[in-house]
mmCIF file of all heavy atoms in Angstrom:
data_model
loop_
_atom_site.group_PDB
_atom_site.id
_atom_site.type_symbol
_atom_site.label_atom_id
_atom_site.label_comp_id
_atom_site.label_asym_id
_atom_site.label_seq_id
_atom_site.Cartn_x
_atom_site.Cartn_y
_atom_site.Cartn_z
ATOM 1 N N SER A 91 0.824 -1.203 0.000
ATOM 2 C CA SER A 91 0.000 0.000 0.000
ATOM 3 C C SER A 91 0.858 1.253 0.000
ATOM 4 O O SER A 91 1.907 1.305 0.649
ATOM 5 C CB SER A 91 -0.936 -0.006 1.217
ATOM 6 O OG SER A 91 -1.667 1.199 1.278
ATOM 7 N N LYS A 92 0.408 2.280 -0.716
ATOM 8 C CA LYS A 92 1.135 3.542 -0.789
ATOM 9 C C LYS A 92 0.423 4.665 -0.038
ATOM 10 O O LYS A 92 0.723 5.838 -0.245
ATOM 11 C CB LYS A 92 1.342 3.943 -2.245
ATOM 12 C CG LYS A 92 2.224 2.974 -3.021
ATOM 13 C CD LYS A 92 2.455 3.432 -4.443
ATOM 14 C CE LYS A 92 3.361 2.458 -5.194
ATOM 15 N NZ LYS A 92 3.603 2.884 -6.594
ATOM 16 N N ILE A 93 -0.520 4.310 0.825
ATOM 17 C CA ILE A 93 -1.233 5.318 1.596
ATOM 18 C C ILE A 93 -0.327 5.858 2.705
ATOM 19 O O ILE A 93 0.732 5.298 2.990
ATOM 20 C CB ILE A 93 -2.531 4.741 2.204
ATOM 21 C CG1 ILE A 93 -2.210 3.593 3.169
ATOM 22 C CG2 ILE A 93 -3.475 4.289 1.113
ATOM 23 C CD1 ILE A 93 -3.436 3.057 3.879
ATOM 24 N N LYS A 94 -0.742 6.945 3.342
ATOM 25 C CA LYS A 94 0.054 7.577 4.388
ATOM 26 C C LYS A 94 0.332 6.608 5.532
ATOM 27 O O LYS A 94 -0.466 5.724 5.819
ATOM 28 C CB LYS A 94 -0.669 8.806 4.927
ATOM 29 C CG LYS A 94 -0.716 9.985 3.974
ATOM 30 C CD LYS A 94 -1.481 11.144 4.572
ATOM 31 C CE LYS A 94 -0.855 11.653 5.837
ATOM 32 N NZ LYS A 94 -1.536 12.855 6.371
ATOM 33 N N THR A 95 1.473 6.817 6.184
ATOM 34 C CA THR A 95 1.872 5.963 7.306
ATOM 35 C C THR A 95 0.834 6.001 8.419
ATOM 36 O O THR A 95 0.536 4.978 9.029
ATOM 37 C CB THR A 95 3.241 6.405 7.850
ATOM 38 O OG1 THR A 95 4.212 6.314 6.806
ATOM 39 C CG2 THR A 95 3.669 5.526 9.012
ATOM 40 N N THR A 96 0.273 7.192 8.694
ATOM 41 C CA THR A 96 -0.725 7.295 9.760
ATOM 42 C C THR A 96 -1.962 6.457 9.454
ATOM 43 O O THR A 96 -2.555 5.862 10.356
ATOM 44 C CB THR A 96 -1.144 8.758 9.963
ATOM 45 O OG1 THR A 96 -1.504 9.338 8.697
ATOM 46 C CG2 THR A 96 -0.024 9.567 10.583
ATOM 47 N N LYS A 97 -2.325 6.380 8.174
ATOM 48 C CA LYS A 97 -3.484 5.565 7.791
ATOM 49 C C LYS A 97 -3.147 4.068 7.910
ATOM 50 O O LYS A 97 -4.012 3.258 8.269
ATOM 51 C CB LYS A 97 -3.936 5.908 6.374
ATOM 52 C CG LYS A 97 -4.705 7.226 6.289
ATOM 53 C CD LYS A 97 -5.241 7.475 4.891
ATOM 54 C CE LYS A 97 -6.251 8.621 4.868
ATOM 55 N NZ LYS A 97 -5.747 9.881 5.382
ATOM 56 N N LYS A 98 -1.912 3.705 7.584
ATOM 57 C CA LYS A 98 -1.495 2.312 7.758
ATOM 58 C C LYS A 98 -1.566 1.913 9.232
ATOM 59 O O LYS A 98 -2.040 0.824 9.572
ATOM 60 C CB LYS A 98 -0.076 2.111 7.224
ATOM 61 C CG LYS A 98 0.053 2.182 5.707
ATOM 62 C CD LYS A 98 1.501 1.953 5.293
ATOM 63 C CE LYS A 98 1.666 2.038 3.787
ATOM 64 N NZ LYS A 98 3.063 1.831 3.357
ATOM 65 N N ILE A 99 -1.078 2.805 10.093
ATOM 66 C CA ILE A 99 -1.143 2.531 11.532
ATOM 67 C C ILE A 99 -2.593 2.419 11.977
ATOM 68 O O ILE A 99 -2.948 1.555 12.792
ATOM 69 C CB ILE A 99 -0.415 3.635 12.321
ATOM 70 C CG1 ILE A 99 1.071 3.656 11.964
ATOM 71 C CG2 ILE A 99 -0.595 3.442 13.823
ATOM 72 C CD1 ILE A 99 1.831 4.811 12.580
ATOM 73 N N SER A 100 -3.436 3.287 11.432
ATOM 74 C CA SER A 100 -4.858 3.269 11.769
ATOM 75 C C SER A 100 -5.499 1.939 11.408
ATOM 76 O O SER A 100 -6.213 1.327 12.210
ATOM 77 C CB SER A 100 -5.572 4.414 11.046
ATOM 78 O OG SER A 100 -6.967 4.339 11.260
ATOM 79 N N ILE A 101 -5.234 1.474 10.193
ATOM 80 C CA ILE A 101 -5.802 0.195 9.744
ATOM 81 C C ILE A 101 -5.255 -0.962 10.576
ATOM 82 O O ILE A 101 -5.985 -1.902 10.923
ATOM 83 C CB ILE A 101 -5.518 -0.020 8.243
ATOM 84 C CG1 ILE A 101 -6.231 1.060 7.421
ATOM 85 C CG2 ILE A 101 -5.963 -1.413 7.794
ATOM 86 C CD1 ILE A 101 -5.872 1.058 5.953
ATOM 87 N N THR A 102 -3.967 -0.891 10.918
ATOM 88 C CA THR A 102 -3.363 -1.919 11.774
ATOM 89 C C THR A 102 -4.063 -1.983 13.122
ATOM 90 O O THR A 102 -4.344 -3.066 13.645
ATOM 91 C CB THR A 102 -1.860 -1.630 11.980
ATOM 92 O OG1 THR A 102 -1.195 -1.670 10.717
ATOM 93 C CG2 THR A 102 -1.232 -2.671 12.900
ATOM 94 N N LEU A 103 -4.353 -0.814 13.695
ATOM 95 C CA LEU A 103 -5.067 -0.771 14.976
ATOM 96 C C LEU A 103 -6.463 -1.382 14.857
ATOM 97 O O LEU A 103 -6.924 -2.081 15.769
ATOM 98 C CB LEU A 103 -5.152 0.673 15.476
ATOM 99 C CG LEU A 103 -3.862 1.278 16.039
ATOM 100 C CD1 LEU A 103 -4.036 2.776 16.272
ATOM 101 C CD2 LEU A 103 -3.478 0.580 17.334
ATOM 102 N N ILE A 104 -7.134 -1.117 13.731
ATOM 103 C CA ILE A 104 -8.461 -1.704 13.512
ATOM 104 C C ILE A 104 -8.360 -3.227 13.450
ATOM 105 O O ILE A 104 -9.179 -3.954 14.039
ATOM 106 C CB ILE A 104 -9.083 -1.170 12.198
ATOM 107 C CG1 ILE A 104 -9.369 0.332 12.315
ATOM 108 C CG2 ILE A 104 -10.351 -1.932 11.858
ATOM 109 C CD1 ILE A 104 -10.464 0.677 13.284
ATOM 110 N N ILE A 105 -7.345 -3.720 12.740
ATOM 111 C CA ILE A 105 -7.139 -5.170 12.622
ATOM 112 C C ILE A 105 -6.890 -5.791 13.994
ATOM 113 O O ILE A 105 -7.484 -6.815 14.351
ATOM 114 C CB ILE A 105 -5.966 -5.468 11.667
ATOM 115 C CG1 ILE A 105 -6.340 -5.075 10.234
ATOM 116 C CG2 ILE A 105 -5.577 -6.950 11.730
ATOM 117 C CD1 ILE A 105 -5.185 -5.153 9.261
ATOM 118 N N VAL A 106 -6.004 -5.165 14.771
ATOM 119 C CA VAL A 106 -5.702 -5.681 16.115
ATOM 120 C C VAL A 106 -6.931 -5.620 17.001
ATOM 121 O O VAL A 106 -7.197 -6.540 17.791
ATOM 122 C CB VAL A 106 -4.546 -4.882 16.744
ATOM 123 C CG1 VAL A 106 -4.318 -5.312 18.194
ATOM 124 C CG2 VAL A 106 -3.269 -5.071 15.945
ATOM 125 N N ALA A 107 -7.723 -4.540 16.876
ATOM 126 C CA ALA A 107 -8.940 -4.404 17.675
ATOM 127 C C ALA A 107 -9.940 -5.518 17.355
ATOM 128 O O ALA A 107 -10.523 -6.134 18.258
ATOM 129 C CB ALA A 107 -9.569 -3.030 17.426
ATOM 130 N N LEU A 108 -10.129 -5.786 16.060
ATOM 131 C CA LEU A 108 -11.050 -6.860 15.660
ATOM 132 C C LEU A 108 -10.566 -8.208 16.183
ATOM 133 O O LEU A 108 -11.359 -9.017 16.686
ATOM 134 C CB LEU A 108 -11.174 -6.896 14.133
ATOM 135 C CG LEU A 108 -11.906 -5.710 13.487
ATOM 136 C CD1 LEU A 108 -11.844 -5.820 11.965
ATOM 137 C CD2 LEU A 108 -13.358 -5.677 13.948
ATOM 138 N N LEU A 109 -9.259 -8.443 16.057
ATOM 139 C CA LEU A 109 -8.691 -9.699 16.541
ATOM 140 C C LEU A 109 -8.868 -9.823 18.053
ATOM 141 O O LEU A 109 -9.171 -10.906 18.570
ATOM 142 C CB LEU A 109 -7.214 -9.776 16.173
ATOM 143 C CG LEU A 109 -6.481 -11.077 16.508
ATOM 144 C CD1 LEU A 109 -7.148 -12.261 15.796
ATOM 145 C CD2 LEU A 109 -5.018 -10.985 16.114
ATOM 146 N N THR A 110 -8.695 -8.711 18.770
ATOM 147 C CA THR A 110 -8.853 -8.710 20.226
ATOM 148 C C THR A 110 -10.279 -9.090 20.630
ATOM 149 O O THR A 110 -10.491 -9.800 21.618
ATOM 150 C CB THR A 110 -8.507 -7.317 20.803
ATOM 151 O OG1 THR A 110 -7.167 -6.988 20.444
ATOM 152 C CG2 THR A 110 -8.628 -7.293 22.318
ATOM 153 N N ILE A 111 -11.238 -8.608 19.854
ATOM 154 C CA ILE A 111 -12.650 -8.877 20.180
ATOM 155 C C ILE A 111 -13.031 -10.330 19.910
ATOM 156 O O ILE A 111 -13.728 -10.969 20.707
ATOM 157 C CB ILE A 111 -13.571 -7.928 19.386
ATOM 158 C CG1 ILE A 111 -13.377 -6.481 19.859
ATOM 159 C CG2 ILE A 111 -15.036 -8.329 19.538
ATOM 160 C CD1 ILE A 111 -14.098 -5.455 19.013
ATOM 161 N N ILE A 112 -12.575 -10.866 18.783
ATOM 162 C CA ILE A 112 -13.096 -12.168 18.353
ATOM 163 C C ILE A 112 -12.213 -13.360 18.701
ATOM 164 O O ILE A 112 -12.661 -14.512 18.589
ATOM 165 C CB ILE A 112 -13.344 -12.165 16.825
ATOM 166 C CG1 ILE A 112 -12.023 -11.962 16.064
ATOM 167 C CG2 ILE A 112 -14.342 -11.108 16.449
ATOM 168 C CD1 ILE A 112 -12.195 -11.955 14.551
ATOM 169 N N ILE A 113 -10.968 -13.124 19.157
ATOM 170 C CA ILE A 113 -10.075 -14.255 19.369
ATOM 171 C C ILE A 113 -10.563 -15.188 20.485
ATOM 172 O O ILE A 113 -10.485 -16.412 20.361
ATOM 173 C CB ILE A 113 -8.628 -13.770 19.651
ATOM 174 C CG1 ILE A 113 -7.670 -14.955 19.703
ATOM 175 C CG2 ILE A 113 -8.558 -12.953 20.911
ATOM 176 C CD1 ILE A 113 -7.588 -15.765 18.456
ATOM 177 N N ASN A 114 -11.054 -14.611 21.589
ATOM 178 C CA ASN A 114 -11.524 -15.463 22.688
ATOM 179 C C ASN A 114 -12.729 -16.316 22.296
ATOM 180 O O ASN A 114 -12.719 -17.540 22.487
ATOM 181 C CB ASN A 114 -11.839 -14.621 23.928
ATOM 182 C CG ASN A 114 -10.601 -14.353 24.757
ATOM 183 O OD1 ASN A 114 -9.514 -14.836 24.453
ATOM 184 N ND2 ASN A 114 -10.748 -13.553 25.801
ATOM 185 N N PRO A 115 -13.823 -15.696 21.757
ATOM 186 C CA PRO A 115 -14.963 -16.513 21.331
ATOM 187 C C PRO A 115 -14.586 -17.554 20.273
ATOM 188 O O PRO A 115 -15.073 -18.682 20.306
ATOM 189 C CB PRO A 115 -15.941 -15.477 20.765
ATOM 190 C CG PRO A 115 -15.574 -14.200 21.428
ATOM 191 C CD PRO A 115 -14.086 -14.255 21.606
ATOM 192 N N PHE A 116 -13.702 -17.161 19.342
ATOM 193 C CA PHE A 116 -13.282 -18.093 18.290
ATOM 194 C C PHE A 116 -12.525 -19.279 18.881
ATOM 195 O O PHE A 116 -12.785 -20.438 18.534
ATOM 196 C CB PHE A 116 -12.416 -17.362 17.270
ATOM 197 C CG PHE A 116 -11.910 -18.240 16.159
ATOM 198 C CD1 PHE A 116 -12.725 -18.558 15.092
ATOM 199 C CD2 PHE A 116 -10.619 -18.757 16.194
ATOM 200 C CE1 PHE A 116 -12.267 -19.385 14.065
ATOM 201 C CE2 PHE A 116 -10.153 -19.575 15.183
ATOM 202 C CZ PHE A 116 -10.974 -19.886 14.114
ATOM 203 N N SER A 117 -11.581 -18.988 19.783
ATOM 204 C CA SER A 117 -10.790 -20.056 20.407
ATOM 205 C C SER A 117 -11.681 -20.992 21.221
ATOM 206 O O SER A 117 -11.508 -22.216 21.189
ATOM 207 C CB SER A 117 -9.701 -19.453 21.306
ATOM 208 O OG SER A 117 -8.832 -18.639 20.553
ATOM 209 N N GLN A 118 -12.635 -20.426 21.973
ATOM 210 C CA GLN A 118 -13.555 -21.249 22.765
ATOM 211 C C GLN A 118 -14.411 -22.136 21.880
ATOM 212 O O GLN A 118 -14.689 -23.294 22.214
ATOM 213 C CB GLN A 118 -14.440 -20.346 23.628
ATOM 214 C CG GLN A 118 -13.677 -19.642 24.750
ATOM 215 C CD GLN A 118 -14.491 -18.570 25.433
ATOM 216 O OE1 GLN A 118 -15.591 -18.238 25.004
ATOM 217 N NE2 GLN A 118 -13.953 -18.008 26.507
ATOM 218 N N LYS A 119 -14.788 -21.596 20.729
ATOM 219 C CA LYS A 119 -15.598 -22.374 19.784
ATOM 220 C C LYS A 119 -14.781 -23.535 19.211
ATOM 221 O O LYS A 119 -15.270 -24.680 19.145
ATOM 222 C CB LYS A 119 -16.077 -21.459 18.652
ATOM 223 C CG LYS A 119 -16.989 -22.133 17.635
ATOM 224 C CD LYS A 119 -18.335 -22.432 18.227
ATOM 225 C CE LYS A 119 -19.287 -22.976 17.162
ATOM 226 N NZ LYS A 119 -20.613 -23.321 17.733
ATOM 227 N N VAL A 120 -13.546 -23.250 18.797
ATOM 228 C CA VAL A 120 -12.698 -24.282 18.200
ATOM 229 C C VAL A 120 -12.343 -25.356 19.230
ATOM 230 O O VAL A 120 -12.358 -26.555 18.930
ATOM 231 C CB VAL A 120 -11.413 -23.652 17.615
ATOM 232 C CG1 VAL A 120 -10.437 -24.737 17.160
ATOM 233 C CG2 VAL A 120 -11.754 -22.745 16.447
ATOM 234 N N LEU A 121 -12.017 -24.925 20.449
ATOM 235 C CA LEU A 121 -11.620 -25.862 21.496
ATOM 236 C C LEU A 121 -12.815 -26.483 22.214
ATOM 237 O O LEU A 121 -12.632 -27.301 23.118
ATOM 238 C CB LEU A 121 -10.728 -25.134 22.521
ATOM 239 C CG LEU A 121 -9.397 -24.601 21.983
ATOM 240 C CD1 LEU A 121 -8.693 -23.765 23.042
ATOM 241 C CD2 LEU A 121 -8.498 -25.740 21.519
ATOM 242 N N GLU A 122 -14.016 -26.059 21.808
ATOM 243 C CA GLU A 122 -15.267 -26.592 22.376
ATOM 244 C C GLU A 122 -15.326 -26.395 23.890
ATOM 245 O O GLU A 122 -15.655 -27.298 24.656
ATOM 246 C CB GLU A 122 -15.420 -28.080 22.032
ATOM 247 C CG GLU A 122 -15.491 -28.326 20.525
ATOM 248 C CD GLU A 122 -15.555 -29.806 20.187
ATOM 249 O OE1 GLU A 122 -15.301 -30.631 21.090
ATOM 250 O OE2 GLU A 122 -15.851 -30.131 19.028
ATOM 251 N N ILE A 123 -14.984 -25.170 24.298
ATOM 252 C CA ILE A 123 -15.046 -24.808 25.711
ATOM 253 C C ILE A 123 -16.426 -24.233 26.003
ATOM 254 O O ILE A 123 -16.855 -23.263 25.366
ATOM 255 C CB ILE A 123 -13.953 -23.781 26.066
ATOM 256 C CG1 ILE A 123 -12.570 -24.379 25.808
ATOM 257 C CG2 ILE A 123 -14.077 -23.315 27.515
ATOM 258 C CD1 ILE A 123 -11.429 -23.400 26.008
ATOM 259 N N THR A 124 -17.108 -24.801 26.950
ATOM 260 C CA THR A 124 -18.485 -24.367 27.258
ATOM 261 C C THR A 124 -18.506 -23.206 28.255
ATOM 262 O O THR A 124 -19.331 -22.304 28.151
ATOM 263 C CB THR A 124 -19.299 -25.533 27.829
ATOM 264 O OG1 THR A 124 -18.607 -26.085 28.958
ATOM 265 C CG2 THR A 124 -19.475 -26.620 26.774
ATOM 266 N N ALA A 125 -17.594 -23.217 29.224
ATOM 267 C CA ALA A 125 -17.559 -22.160 30.239
ATOM 268 C C ALA A 125 -16.880 -20.931 29.632
ATOM 269 O O ALA A 125 -15.658 -20.837 29.570
ATOM 270 C CB ALA A 125 -16.804 -22.625 31.474
ATOM 271 N N LYS A 126 -17.691 -20.002 29.169
ATOM 272 C CA LYS A 126 -17.157 -18.840 28.476
ATOM 273 C C LYS A 126 -16.753 -17.744 29.471
ATOM 274 O O LYS A 126 -17.492 -17.424 30.400
ATOM 275 C CB LYS A 126 -18.184 -18.284 27.493
ATOM 276 C CG LYS A 126 -18.516 -19.244 26.364
ATOM 277 C CD LYS A 126 -19.475 -18.611 25.386
ATOM 278 C CE LYS A 126 -19.777 -19.558 24.223
ATOM 279 N NZ LYS A 126 -20.703 -18.944 23.251
ATOM 280 N N GLU A 127 -15.564 -17.173 29.243
ATOM 281 C CA GLU A 127 -15.111 -16.059 30.065
ATOM 282 C C GLU A 127 -15.638 -14.748 29.493
ATOM 283 O O GLU A 127 -15.958 -14.654 28.309
ATOM 284 C CB GLU A 127 -13.575 -16.028 30.111
ATOM 285 C CG GLU A 127 -12.951 -17.262 30.747
ATOM 286 C CD GLU A 127 -11.438 -17.166 30.782
ATOM 287 O OE1 GLU A 127 -10.913 -16.144 30.321
ATOM 288 O OE2 GLU A 127 -10.811 -18.125 31.275
ATOM 289 N N SER A 128 -15.717 -13.751 30.354
ATOM 290 C CA SER A 128 -16.203 -12.447 29.910
ATOM 291 C C SER A 128 -15.249 -11.840 28.889
ATOM 292 O O SER A 128 -14.027 -11.852 29.067
ATOM 293 C CB SER A 128 -16.340 -11.512 31.112
ATOM 294 O OG SER A 128 -16.670 -10.199 30.680
ATOM 295 N N ASN A 129 -15.828 -11.297 27.835
ATOM 296 C CA ASN A 129 -15.020 -10.691 26.770
ATOM 297 C C ASN A 129 -15.021 -9.170 26.889
ATOM 298 O O ASN A 129 -14.485 -8.482 26.020
ATOM 299 C CB ASN A 129 -15.568 -11.116 25.402
ATOM 300 C CG ASN A 129 -14.517 -11.011 24.301
ATOM 301 O OD1 ASN A 129 -13.331 -11.218 24.548
ATOM 302 N ND2 ASN A 129 -14.940 -10.662 23.102
ATOM 303 N N ILE A 130 -15.610 -8.659 27.974
ATOM 304 C CA ILE A 130 -15.742 -7.209 28.141
ATOM 305 C C ILE A 130 -14.391 -6.493 28.182
ATOM 306 O O ILE A 130 -14.219 -5.457 27.520
ATOM 307 C CB ILE A 130 -16.573 -6.889 29.408
ATOM 308 C CG1 ILE A 130 -18.015 -7.357 29.197
ATOM 309 C CG2 ILE A 130 -16.544 -5.394 29.699
ATOM 310 C CD1 ILE A 130 -18.916 -7.141 30.391
ATOM 311 N N PRO A 131 -13.371 -7.001 28.934
ATOM 312 C CA PRO A 131 -12.074 -6.318 28.927
ATOM 313 C C PRO A 131 -11.472 -6.186 27.530
ATOM 314 O O PRO A 131 -10.908 -5.145 27.173
ATOM 315 C CB PRO A 131 -11.205 -7.202 29.831
ATOM 316 C CG PRO A 131 -12.172 -7.884 30.729
ATOM 317 C CD PRO A 131 -13.382 -8.140 29.883
ATOM 318 N N ASN A 132 -11.609 -7.260 26.740
ATOM 319 C CA ASN A 132 -11.088 -7.211 25.367
ATOM 320 C C ASN A 132 -11.835 -6.188 24.531
ATOM 321 O O ASN A 132 -11.245 -5.469 23.712
ATOM 322 C CB ASN A 132 -11.190 -8.584 24.717
ATOM 323 C CG ASN A 132 -10.182 -9.560 25.276
ATOM 324 O OD1 ASN A 132 -9.363 -9.212 26.102
ATOM 325 N ND2 ASN A 132 -10.246 -10.801 24.835
ATOM 326 N N ILE A 133 -13.158 -6.121 24.734
ATOM 327 C CA ILE A 133 -13.979 -5.173 23.977
ATOM 328 C C ILE A 133 -13.607 -3.737 24.333
ATOM 329 O O ILE A 133 -13.504 -2.865 23.459
ATOM 330 C CB ILE A 133 -15.476 -5.429 24.238
ATOM 331 C CG1 ILE A 133 -15.880 -6.795 23.659
ATOM 332 C CG2 ILE A 133 -16.333 -4.331 23.620
ATOM 333 C CD1 ILE A 133 -17.296 -7.208 23.986
ATOM 334 N N LEU A 134 -13.374 -3.480 25.619
ATOM 335 C CA LEU A 134 -12.984 -2.140 26.057
ATOM 336 C C LEU A 134 -11.616 -1.748 25.467
ATOM 337 O O LEU A 134 -11.431 -0.619 25.000
ATOM 338 C CB LEU A 134 -12.935 -2.076 27.587
ATOM 339 C CG LEU A 134 -14.283 -2.194 28.308
ATOM 340 C CD1 LEU A 134 -14.078 -2.237 29.819
ATOM 341 C CD2 LEU A 134 -15.198 -1.030 27.925
ATOM 342 N N SER A 135 -10.665 -2.696 25.490
ATOM 343 C CA SER A 135 -9.346 -2.430 24.907
ATOM 344 C C SER A 135 -9.460 -2.147 23.413
ATOM 345 O O SER A 135 -8.822 -1.226 22.880
ATOM 346 C CB SER A 135 -8.417 -3.627 25.141
ATOM 347 O OG SER A 135 -8.221 -3.864 26.516
ATOM 348 N N ALA A 136 -10.302 -2.939 22.743
ATOM 349 C CA ALA A 136 -10.502 -2.747 21.305
ATOM 350 C C ALA A 136 -11.140 -1.390 21.028
ATOM 351 O O ALA A 136 -10.801 -0.726 20.046
ATOM 352 C CB ALA A 136 -11.371 -3.866 20.752
ATOM 353 N N GLY A 137 -12.041 -0.977 21.906
ATOM 354 C CA GLY A 137 -12.693 0.323 21.735
ATOM 355 C C GLY A 137 -11.696 1.470 21.770
ATOM 356 O O GLY A 137 -11.764 2.409 20.963
ATOM 357 N N VAL A 138 -10.746 1.394 22.697
ATOM 358 C CA VAL A 138 -9.702 2.425 22.787
ATOM 359 C C VAL A 138 -8.877 2.442 21.508
ATOM 360 O O VAL A 138 -8.558 3.512 20.964
ATOM 361 C CB VAL A 138 -8.793 2.173 24.009
ATOM 362 C CG1 VAL A 138 -7.608 3.136 23.999
ATOM 363 C CG2 VAL A 138 -9.585 2.306 25.305
#
């Protein structure tokens, strides 16, 4: 990509935020874990 560095950093943060939100539910689904932990801390971090 030839876009500005600040925009690249911005998109990277969005990618990390999405990964932060969905990694726990995804891992629990794959590992077939029934006792789900709260994902609120991850969501708050992703929001920032």
Side-chain angles (χ1 to χ4, degrees):
S91 176
K92 296 182 179 180
I93 62 176
K94 289 178 61 175
T95 301
T96 51
K97 284 185 168 57
K98 290 181 181 179
I99 297 174
S100 175
I101 296 172
T102 298
L103 286 170
I104 294 292
I105 292 172
V106 174
L108 291 175
L109 185 59
T110 302
I111 293 172
I112 63 180
I113 187 60
N114 276 357
F116 179 80
S117 300
Q118 291 169 353
K119 183 71 174 178
V120 172
L121 297 173
E122 299 176 347
I123 299 175
T124 55
K126 295 183 178 181
E127 297 181 0
S128 174
N129 203 33
I130 293 178
N132 288 357
I133 293 174
L134 292 175
S135 299
V138 173

